[in-house]
Each structure stands twice: as C-alpha cells, then as structure tokens.
Amino acid sequence: KVQVIVWKKETDGRKFLLLERVVATGGYWQPVTGGVEKDEEIEAAARRELQEETGIVVWMSWRSGVHEFSFENPPSHRRPGLVRESVFAVRVAPETPVVLSSEHTAFAWYSLADALALIQFENQRTALQKLANALGSQQYNMDFLSVSRKSTREWRPHQWN
C-alpha cells in the first residue's frame, strides 16, 4: 500500500489535506491511500493514487521515504494478512484544486493538531507527525527534492528552495 500526505503552506501555517471516505468503507478521515497494482513501482502507485483520489497532477515538491510501517488486516478484510505501507509527501500550491473520486465524500485542509485529532489510525498519525517534525528541520528542507510534471511520462527532479 501507499499513503500520500498532501500539504500546503498558508499565511497561518501548514495545512494537511484529509479525505473523508464514503460511509460504506468506513466514513473516516485519512490522507490519500491506496494499493499497488501488479508490476507497479511503489512511487508510481503513490502518484497514481494521488491523481485518482484528488485530481492533483502538479505539485511544488515530492518526498519519498517519509515513513514505512506494516500492519495486519483481519481475516474478514478484503485484503487479509500483513500489509506494508510506504508514505510519501507532496507539497502543493495554496490554490491547488482538489477533485474527489467516488471513494470519498469530502475533503478539507487541516492544521497539524486538527488533522492528528481526526485521523483514526495510529500508523497514519505517526506518519503525519514524522512529516511535520521533518518539515521543521532545516536539514530536511535543504534536502527536499521536488519533482515537476513535464508530461505524463517524464518527471524532472530539481532542487526546492
């Protein structure tokens, strides 16, 4: 699985995007999440899920390796057993539009404290807190590489200031 934490910087601080799942699949708030298709690279899956769930295809910066964790789905789950999830982060411009897929009923931008209070799963809260801690680190900001979308097939890395 993949998770993509989408964030933006506004005059009153950083805001994190959460999506509300449809009631049939839990009705809870979460970052972008999804599965990795057969023969798909993990980072490609993260980009695909971001686009499918939010319509976002252009961003200011992209970060892999934010966090990784594993958890056990119960036997009754549609995907039972051990699941490994890789977490990515993407910074978008404040005016970036969000277009929801049918998997979600709403979206909102939250402060760190509000997002942490809304997220149901501990692993997702841990990933968000790790990202927030890293964003406060000067070294992290200097090392943050961004990826700009040039076409549907070409991604060009460049340094983010």
Side-chain angles (χ1 to χ4, degrees):
K1 283 190 60 134
V2 294
Q3 179 184 151
V4 182
I5 301 171
V6 182
W7 66 280
K8 63 182 178 179
K9 192 169 184 180
E10 294 193 341
T11 55
D12 61 343
R14 291 185 187 97
K15 302 293 182 183
F16 299 91
L17 179 67
L18 294 184
L19 311 175
E20 184 179 32
R21 294 193 64 86
V22 296
V23 173
T25 58
Y28 50 83
W29 289 88
Q30 68 177 117
V32 172
T33 63
V36 179
E37 295 177 359
K38 186 178 183 200
D39 298 325
E40 184 177 36
E41 295 288 326
I42 292 174
E43 193 162 325
R47 290 185 178 131
R48 177 184 49 75
E49 288 292 342
L50 176 66
Q51 182 175 1
E52 287 176 3
E53 294 187 10
T54 67
I56 295 173
V57 294
V58 177
W59 50 78
M60 296 172 65
S61 57
W62 179 272
R63 176 76 175 188
S64 58
V66 172
H67 184 54
E68 282 194 33
F69 58 90
S70 298
F71 59 93
E72 189 83 25
N73 275 336
S76 60
H77 192 274
R78 63 186 170 96
R79 291 186 192 138
L82 187 64
V83 177
R84 183 180 183 118
E85 190 158 311
S86 297
V87 183
F88 299 82
V90 60
R91 180 181 179 189
V92 297
E95 67 278 3
T96 300
V98 175
V99 179
L100 293 177
S101 71
S102 60
E103 294 178 46
H104 301 95
T105 58
F107 74 91
W109 294 94
Y110 291 101
S111 68
L112 175 62
D114 291 341
L116 289 170
L118 280 171
I119 294 173
Q120 177 178 349
F121 300 107
E122 181 64 32
N123 289 326
Q124 292 177 352
R125 286 193 301 272
T126 299
L128 178 56
Q129 187 64 65
K130 277 188 162 186
L131 174 63
N133 292 346
L135 289 172
S137 158
Q138 183 178 8
Q139 182 61 42
Y140 181 91
N141 285 312
M142 290 173 59
D143 292 344
F144 205 125
L145 292 178
S146 63
V147 180
S148 294
R149 182 164 190 205
K150 199 171 174 188
S151 74
T152 56
R153 292 191 177 95
E154 184 179 343
W155 302 88
R156 181 179 45 120
H158 62 274
Q159 190 68 37
W160 175 56
N161 296 323

